[in-house]
Amino acid sequence: AEYMGEPAAAEPKAKAGKKAKGGDKAAAVPAAPVGENADDPLLRLELRVGRIVECDKHPDAESLYLEKIDLGEPTGPRTVVSGLVNFVPVEQMRGALVVVMCNLKPAKMRGIVSHAMVLCASNDDHTAVELLEPPAGAVIGELLTVPGYSGSPPDAQIKKPKIVEDACAGMAIDANRVLVYKGTPFQTSAGPLTVKTLANAKKIA
């Protein structure tokens, strides 16, 4: 089922002929907020800055890369499989700073388990795909943020694909090639994220 946040409590009906104290103003005092847009699906994603430290073609799939991505974790780089061979040259992948979705359920791709996903932007017909690029000074492993969206930590593991779909539907590249969420730029400690050429791209995955 689609995650829609907590249901709103029903407002009590006013008695006929009487006004709430304070005239036309609402009598109910809202509860203290737990965060801005706290029920937005974006906040359930764990999007971090990573660096690709190794990248080669998957031994059993010509269109897939097999990568090792450093996320600053004590367990070492994660193994990640990405279908980017036909879009991003291996030389551009190696050493690149990238955006990594870290709390997906591990998935076996042609015999090798992938433990995260590299996020990219694409044009409408998916003939052009580009990496989302954190700025040079971004810290490996830092969590991406969007001003106006805050709350509880991301899910330990996302179990429903629709959460990812709903969050990615709000992402886009603006006219300045900056990654935004519902019009507001994503941020790292070193500034916003960009793509090389795909201004106004609407597909992020």
Side-chain angles (χ1 to χ4, degrees):
E2 182 178 355
Y3 178 80
M4 299 296 292
E6 296 298 325
E11 293 185 6
K13 292 182 179 179
K15 288 184 180 179
K18 290 189 178 181
K19 282 187 178 180
K21 223 174 186 181
D24 294 325
K25 292 181 180 177
V29 177
V34 295
E36 298 176 282
N37 295 298
D39 61 348
D40 194 281
L42 174 68
L43 297 176
R44 303 182 70 176
L45 306 188
E46 185 181 350
L47 302 177
R48 295 190 181 275
V49 175
R51 185 182 295 280
I52 300 175
V53 293
E54 294 180 24
C55 181
D56 291 288
K57 283 190 177 179
H58 191 296
D60 297 318
E62 290 187 0
S63 64
L64 300 178
Y65 282 131
L66 177 59
E67 307 131 23
K68 294 286 187 181
I69 301 182
D70 180 11
L71 291 157
E73 297 172 313
T75 49
R78 294 195 192 191
T79 298
V80 178
V81 179
S82 304
L84 297 173
V85 170
N86 296 327
F87 303 103
V88 183
V90 68
E91 296 79 11
Q92 187 179 324
M93 295 286 289
R94 290 172 179 158
L97 283 177
V98 290
V99 175
V100 184
M101 191 179 298
C102 297
N103 59 340
L104 295 174
K105 183 179 179 180
K108 186 174 285 190
M109 300 179 72
R110 298 299 293 270
I112 296 177
V113 177
S114 181
H115 293 273
M117 181 174 76
V118 175
L119 277 188
C120 296
S122 71
N123 59 359
D124 288 345
D125 57 5
H126 204 72
T127 55
V129 178
E130 294 181 355
L131 298 172
L132 301 177
E133 300 181 358
V139 178
I140 299 299
E142 72 170 291
L143 192 67
L144 272 58
T145 60
V146 178
Y149 294 83
S150 63
S152 57
D155 289 7
Q157 186 179 96
I158 293 176
K159 296 181 172 62
K160 298 179 181 178
K162 194 166 192 325
I163 295 170
V164 177
E165 293 168 11
D166 289 348
C168 286
M171 300 181 198
I173 305 299
D174 70 9
N176 296 314
R177 296 180 291 106
V178 172
L179 175 66
V180 299
Y181 186 72
K182 298 180 181 178
T184 301
F186 279 83
Q187 294 293 328
T188 69
S189 59
L193 304 98
T194 57
V195 294
K196 290 190 183 303
T197 67
L198 290 177
N200 298 310
K202 304 300 181 191
K203 293 190 175 182
I204 309 295

